[in-house]
Amino acid sequence: MTNLTDLGIAAIRDGVAKGEFTATEVATAFNAAVEAAQPALNAFIVTTPEKALEAAAKVDADRSAGKVLGKMAGVPIGMKDLFATKGTQTTAASKILEGFKPEYESTVSQKLWDAGAGMLGKLNLDQFAMGSSNETSAFGNVISPWRRPGDTAPLAPGGSSGGSSSAVAARIAPAATGTDTGGSIRQPAAFTGISGIKPTYGRCSRWGVVAFASSLDQAGAMAHDVTDCAIMLEAMAGFDPKDSTSLNLPVPEWTEGLNADMRGKRVGIPREYRLDGMDPDVARSWDDGIAWLKDAGAEIVEISLPHTKYALPTYYIIAPAEASSNLARYDGVRYGLRDLPDGAGLQDMYAATRAAGFGPEVKRRIMIGTYVLSAGFYDAYYTQAQKVRTLISRDFTNAFIDVDVILVPTAPSSAFALGEKSADPLEMYLNDVFSVPASLAGLPAMSVPAGLDRNGLPLGLQVIGKAFDEQGVLNASLAIEQRAQFTARPEKWW
């Protein structure tokens, strides 16, 4: 029998449907892989092998009964621990929510279970999705399965969806959910040599997803390849009346529409992304991507996104401002951690609970956000940032008059070692320089593997599309995937 843990979504779903193997056999194989890798990679906060087996048993019973199987039938996945899962601990990788077991299911996770997927466990992440290296989790760092040749230094799997990227790259989960606020699906996908898509803002419901920055947060799919991402995104997406920002649009059949023929398409290359001192390997991979899309029939057009240089500071005003508001709900009164010193009053309890429950990066962003929203600074910082956000979005709108998609690098470098950048928050924030603009504009964007750098580590290319045009993003990404022929995998050391 094929090594089941090498298979992706399409291969598992189709194999189960044809009777080549059972969903229970698949779940058993992945449960064993998770158990073996967990001590080394720390990709999961909690594992739920029984949930995976329970879902698999239902799929096998439905197949035996001749019932129509769902898009994700028989596929066990990892669920980022930002999605509320009924009866299973949901922490956002923070001590302030340790032990919290929701009485409800997030809309996205429920859609996946309804489509036949099972849950291997809750994946580790940067605390409250704040980070680019998965070093801010209260439950320990996630370790990338990749290593530099001849070097045992543990590498960052990217963030905040580092548990998701590590698990998929290590083949201990065929796919995983992620969330992307400023690049938290795309950057970790690039670091670990997998594919990841952030859809248009509003495509996937935010109901039941622990909030970081509500005008930016968006759920998406992380998987082995473009086709698997398309299948998973179809299952996740859809209108939700419980989410006021949800798009009331039908979900296209993206998988059926996959087509790598780029003839008649125009691909924009923004000159502002050619940064001074750009990593030569990143620049080379970008040039390779341009050549691949040209080979696929696309016309390459140089474009300008003049306000790109303001995207990062704009993001790091708006996102912390929204975080400071969203995280005010964690007060020790209703759920989660409560730290109540002897003789303390209500305000003392608030302070003690938040001091004990929030990590340093979360506190830093809350303080930044509170500052930019405070009297005397609101107009100087927050209002200005919102105006610049509008200009950034307008740049994309103007560019898409002339082009169909935009091609840029996903991240400014390949994966770095844990501890290399975490001492300097500003250096860490620069990891988001290529991914933040699409998030501010609410556009669909995807990272696909493009090759290896001089250290043998994966590099990703990012395709950005028009609002609601996930199909265009997936098709251009497929054209790159077919030409990149990326088959590299981390050597197993765990």
Side-chain angles (χ1 to χ4, degrees):
M1 182 184 289
T2 304
N3 186 353
L4 294 176
T5 57
D6 283 337
L7 302 180
I9 293 174
I12 292 172
R13 179 195 64 185
D14 295 346
V16 168
K18 293 173 184 174
E20 296 172 0
F21 39 78
T22 66
T24 298
E25 288 172 332
V26 174
T28 300
F30 276 103
N31 281 338
V34 169
E35 184 178 6
Q38 178 60 13
L41 300 180
N42 195 35
F44 288 83
I45 294 176
V46 294
T47 57
T48 56
E50 72 289 349
K51 297 277 188 184
L53 290 169
E54 180 185 332
K58 184 180 185 307
V59 169
D60 289 336
D62 287 348
R63 182 183 179 277
S64 296
K67 295 182 179 180
V68 176
L69 301 181
K71 293 179 185 290
M72 298 283 291
V75 182
I77 63 170
M79 183 63 60
K80 186 175 180 179
D81 197 27
L82 214 59
F83 293 84
T85 44
K86 186 175 181 179
T88 301
Q89 178 178 267
T90 301
T91 67
S94 178
K95 291 291 184 185
I96 208 161
L97 278 175
E98 188 172 16
F100 171 58
K101 294 183 178 180
E103 294 296 318
Y104 56 91
E105 191 79 30
S106 78
T107 298
V108 162
S109 56
Q110 188 61 60
K111 282 179 173 287
L112 288 165
W113 312 149
D114 291 345
M119 183 167 70
L120 295 165
K122 302 298 290 292
L123 290 158
N124 206 346
L125 65 144
D126 281 300
Q127 189 171 162
F128 282 102
M130 298 180 190
S132 303
S133 63
N134 227 131
E135 292 177 272
T136 71
S137 170
F139 300 94
N141 301 338
V142 176
I143 310 298
S144 172
W146 288 86
R147 291 277 172 91
R148 294 169 180 149
D151 188 350
T152 59
L155 299 181
S160 65
S161 305
S164 302
S165 64
S166 180
V168 174
R171 300 307 197 267
I172 62 173
T177 56
T179 61
D180 194 308
T181 305
S184 290
I185 287 174
R186 292 162 286 157
Q187 185 251 22
F191 273 18
T192 55
I194 66 170
S195 296
I197 183 167
K198 177 196 87 71
T200 306
Y201 179 78
R203 259 304 176 196
C204 295
S205 172
R206 292 187 298 110
W207 193 85
V209 183
V210 178
F212 164 16
S214 300
S215 74
L216 294 159
D217 297 344
Q218 187 56 200
M222 303 176 74
H224 293 173
D225 56 37
V226 172
T227 301
D228 283 357
C229 284
I231 294 169
M232 189 173 181
L233 191 60
E234 282 179 24
M236 295 169 62
F239 175 64
D240 180 9
K242 297 191 294 293
D243 175 7
S244 63
T245 62
S246 178
L247 291 169
N248 192 357
L249 296 172
V251 178
E253 293 288 337
W254 292 305
T255 311
E256 288 186 12
L258 285 175
N259 185 352
D261 186 350
M262 294 292 289
R263 284 176 294 183
K265 303 294 184 183
R266 292 162 63 88
V267 177
I269 308 298
R271 65 176 70 96
E272 289 81 7
Y273 281 63
R274 293 277 183 189
L275 303 177
D276 292 338
M278 176 181 272
D279 184 310
D281 289 330
V282 173
R284 172 186 52 77
S285 73
W286 193 8
D287 290 336
D288 288 343
I290 293 169
W292 291 331
L293 289 177
K294 189 181 293 185
D295 179 70
E299 179 185 351
I300 306 302
V301 181
E302 185 178 89
I303 61 171
S304 177
L305 299 171
H307 294 93
T308 292
K309 60 185 176 182
Y310 304 116
L312 209 57
T314 298
Y315 174 83
Y316 279 102
I317 291 172
I318 293 172
E322 295 185 12
S324 72
S325 177
N326 278 324
L327 271 58
R329 71 192 67 179
Y330 303 106
D331 53 13
V333 175
R334 289 158 290 189
Y335 46 79
L337 178 71
R338 175 181 294 175
D339 194 324
L340 186 61
D342 290 342
L346 188 63
Q347 293 298 328
D348 296 322
M349 185 191 73
Y350 288 167
T353 297
R354 290 165 176 162
F358 290 142
E361 182 61 29
V362 175
K363 292 174 184 174
R364 180 181 296 116
R365 297 199 192 192
I366 289 172
M367 287 191 289
I368 292 171
T370 303
Y371 178 80
V372 300
L373 291 176
S374 61
F377 297 102
Y378 185 94
D379 287 333
Y381 292 103
Y382 185 73
T383 301
Q384 286 296 104
Q386 291 289 17
K387 290 177 180 177
V388 176
R389 181 181 189 174
T390 300
L391 295 175
I392 291 167
S393 182
R394 190 179 300 165
D395 285 349
F396 280 109
T397 300
N398 292 336
F400 282 126
I401 293 171
D402 298 318
V403 300
D404 297 287
V405 294
I406 294 169
L407 179 71
V408 295
T410 306
S413 71
S414 60
F416 44 84
L418 295 175
E420 274 185 5
K421 298 189 177 183
S422 55
D424 183 354
L426 290 178
E427 188 173 0
M428 189 67 77
Y429 296 167
L430 287 171
N431 274 286
D432 301 329
V433 66
F434 293 139
S435 56
V436 155
S439 292
L440 288 169
L443 300 174
M446 182 171 198
S447 179
V448 286
L452 302 174
D453 72 354
R454 59 189 176 279
N455 294 316
L457 298 178
L459 294 169
L461 284 173
Q462 180 184 187
V463 178
I464 303 170
K466 304 171 186 176
F468 322 123
D469 187 25
E470 285 81 6
Q471 191 71 67
V473 170
L474 288 162
N475 288 350
S477 298
L478 183 63
I480 293 170
E481 178 181 276
Q482 290 181 353
R483 286 157 180 78
Q485 292 290 299
F486 185 87
T487 58
R489 286 173 54 175
E491 290 188 20
K492 190 170 181 179
W493 53 266
W494 56 94

